[in-house]
Amino acid sequence: MIPYGRQDITQADIDAVVGVLQSDFLTQGPQVPLFEKTVAEHVGARHALAVNSATSALHIACLALGLGPNDWLWTTPITFVASANCGLYCGAQVDFVDIDPRTYNLCPQALERKLITAQAAGRLPKVVVAVHLCGQPCDMAAIHALGQRFGFKIIEDASHAIGGKYKGEFIGSGHFSDITVFSFHPVKIITTAEGGMALTNNPELANKMALLRSHGITRDTAQMTHTPDGPWYYQQVDLGFNYRMTELQAALGVSQMARLDEYVARRHELAARYDALLADLPVVRPWQHPDSYSGLHLYVIRLQLGQIGKTHRQVFDSLRERGIGVNLHYIPVHTQPYYQQMGFKAGDFPEAEHYYAEAISLPMFQTMSEAQQDQVIAALSGTLKL
Ligand SMILES: *Cc1c(COP(=O)(O)O)cnc(C)c1O
């Protein structure tokens, strides 16, 4: 089976991790700060906090922005559940904004309409999570302008998008948001096994997230309520968690970062090849906004079902039977039972549901060969033409 995504682990990666195993520190040593510095410098952010997952990063990002009970967090329904769940962790309520039918990202016009209604009802969101689906950045300039006008904070869930650019700048540089989050799960662009990172240019947010990642504990005397009792002393000044990344993970991350740009470039080659090879099939290929250079975590096609004598499900099953590990990103979050319990129902976000009825993620990973890609195309042509 050709998987839809797959990590690339080199001998240099293995050596880096083994080096840590043989060193003094398995956690809380020099590799985590080195990884943070490496990513922050690469993308052009002032501060970076490595954590044990993007889910943890989203949680501490929301808390740092002051999200709490009686607040609202809005995001897109076409995302992994973590982009919405982070609001619920903080006791806030979650709502969704429908997607743009071309980019499949949160639609700024739909956001504006919903904000106007929410303002009248006194229910404006405190935080909007903009998810860069497949690695393509959202229309951040528009979302940022709405943030200024309606007073909400912005988190970029860039779990798919490290190495991508928006208006010529790396995603994570933070010009249009408060905090950006990356994921290093093995299916993503670079990996630390599990892992995530929160980036910001705001030192207060960085400091707050640093506390929250490790129990709310500080060893910095400037942050203590009185002078330390002795050299052993630390103070808990907030209620935090243990969301720390290990040294093994960070060393793997540093080693992977050396290949980030190469990985994204390779994904672009594969995408260009897919674009050409799919041109005559009844599918909609991913549309790329001219402002964006996608990280290309995913390559999603939409079936033109009117021209295909099969259902979406039949095409999906047939591809799997032919050894193609296709997937579907994502089941609209508002249709999940946990969210339906809160009152969301099918029909609430029609563009998202329409997308879900047609989308299929084709295999896309940096080590994918052209022969493998040809196999995907052959399987898809066979399935669609029968
Ligand atoms: C993978 C993913 C997450 C969660 O990442 P973890 O590192 O697995 O916690 C969050 N949001 C999106 C959009 C993702 O794809």
Side-chain angles (χ1 to χ4, degrees), residues 53-55 58 79-80 82-83 131 157 159-160 183-185 188 194-195 330:
S53 71
T55 304
L58 287 164
T79 186
F80 185 56
S83 316
V131 181
D157 181 346
S159 293
H160 299 183
S183 172
F184 308 121
H185 183 279
K188 309 291 165 73
E194 296 283 357
Y330 287 96

Side-chain angles (χ1 to χ4, degrees), residues 229-243:
D229 296 350
W232 63 85
Y233 198 67
Y234 57 81
Q235 274 191 348
Q236 184 188 343
V237 296
D238 203 339
L239 182 62
F241 310 89
N242 181 352
Y243 283 168

